[in-house]
Amino acid sequence: MIKHNKTKIIATVGPASASETILKKMIEEGVDIFRINFSHGSYGEVKKIILAIRSLNKKLDTNIGILVDLQGPKIRIGKVDGNRVELKKGEEISFTTKECVGDEKKLYINYTHFPSDVAVGDRILINDGKFLLKVIGTNKRDTVKAKIIQGGTLSSNKGVNLPNTRISLPCLTEKDYKDLEFALEIILNG
């Protein structure tokens, strides 16, 4: 049996690490938990990975865990002009829930409750935190004004995170429930 210390190592399984050979090597190197991201990959790919981990647990007499990472609700900006727009530090920009092609002055956001959920001072993170903005105003209906704190070149359809905003979206989506049901069926019954 492979011995591990109290530190737990979590490894995300992706296309490059999904084979049983690579998974076995990762276990031998000390992985305690494999993370499967339901934002990417098909059910067929996920099933193959889960069954490989379960098979390796039997062969190696280990108890490597499986962490199912559900996608959750996705808040995104829409398309931007030419697929690239420059957000300049110190400038102001508007977010609108009315669908449009964004530019350096206005961006579409797919979250209809955004203007009513945010408050002045809330932070807006875009593209995994590469862009940081601060809410400076909202009409509570369809428009939010923000100041760009950290800018750069932004492309279309990037994810939005609202770290200090209480959002109205449920934390689990219909897709999450289906993904969880699928994962549990495979984990528990093979």
Side-chain angles (χ1 to χ4, degrees):
M1 182 164 166
I2 298 170
K3 299 199 183 220
H4 300 282
N5 62 24
K6 292 183 180 184
T7 301
K8 300 298 180 201
I9 299 171
I10 301 173
T12 299
V13 181
S17 58
S19 74
E20 195 167 309
T21 304
I22 300 292
L23 294 172
K24 180 178 186 274
K25 183 160 179 52
M26 292 169 76
I27 292 169
E28 290 168 345
E29 293 295 325
V31 166
D32 298 288
I33 301 169
F34 285 113
R35 173 182 169 265
I36 300 171
N37 186 349
F38 268 89
S39 294
H40 311 288
S42 68
Y43 279 177
E45 293 164 334
V46 168
K47 182 176 181 177
K48 182 179 169 189
I49 293 166
I50 292 171
L51 293 177
I53 294 166
R54 292 183 76 224
S55 172
L56 285 167
N57 272 336
K58 287 179 186 172
K59 289 177 189 173
L60 302 173
D61 192 27
T62 57
N63 191 20
I64 305 303
I66 298 171
L67 172 67
V68 175
D69 189 351
L70 302 173
Q71 181 174 304
K74 287 291 180 190
I75 302 173
R76 296 192 175 278
I77 61 155
K79 293 186 190 279
V80 297
D81 191 32
N83 198 37
R84 300 177 74 76
V85 64
E86 192 66 30
L87 300 186
K88 295 179 183 160
K89 182 179 178 178
E91 297 284 319
E92 292 181 11
I93 192 164
S94 292
F95 289 85
T96 180
T97 58
K98 295 177 181 176
E99 199 161 344
C100 66
V101 175
D103 57 27
E104 66 278 346
K105 296 291 181 192
K106 184 179 357 180
L107 295 172
Y108 166 71
I109 188 164
N110 71 346
Y111 179 38
T112 57
H113 295 291
F114 180 61
S116 59
D117 284 355
V118 297
V120 172
D122 283 0
R123 292 180 297 149
I124 304 166
L125 301 172
I126 303 174
N127 195 16
D128 297 323
K130 292 181 179 96
F131 299 86
L132 171 62
L133 298 92
K134 186 176 178 182
V135 175
I136 58 173
T138 175
N139 70 2
K140 297 291 183 188
R141 290 182 316 280
D142 59 11
T143 304
V144 171
K145 292 203 179 291
K147 183 173 183 176
I148 301 164
I149 307 300
Q150 182 176 308
T153 304
L154 176 66
S155 56
S156 299
N157 305 312
K158 295 300 179 195
V160 175
N161 186 297
L162 305 168
N164 55 333
T165 300
R166 186 176 177 101
I167 62 172
S168 300
L169 289 172
C171 60
L172 294 174
T173 66
E174 189 175 317
K175 178 186 182 313
D176 294 328
Y177 285 111
K178 288 178 184 174
D179 292 348
L180 184 57
E181 186 176 323
F182 173 80
L184 285 172
E185 177 65 29
I186 301 305
I187 291 169
L188 298 175
N189 301 316

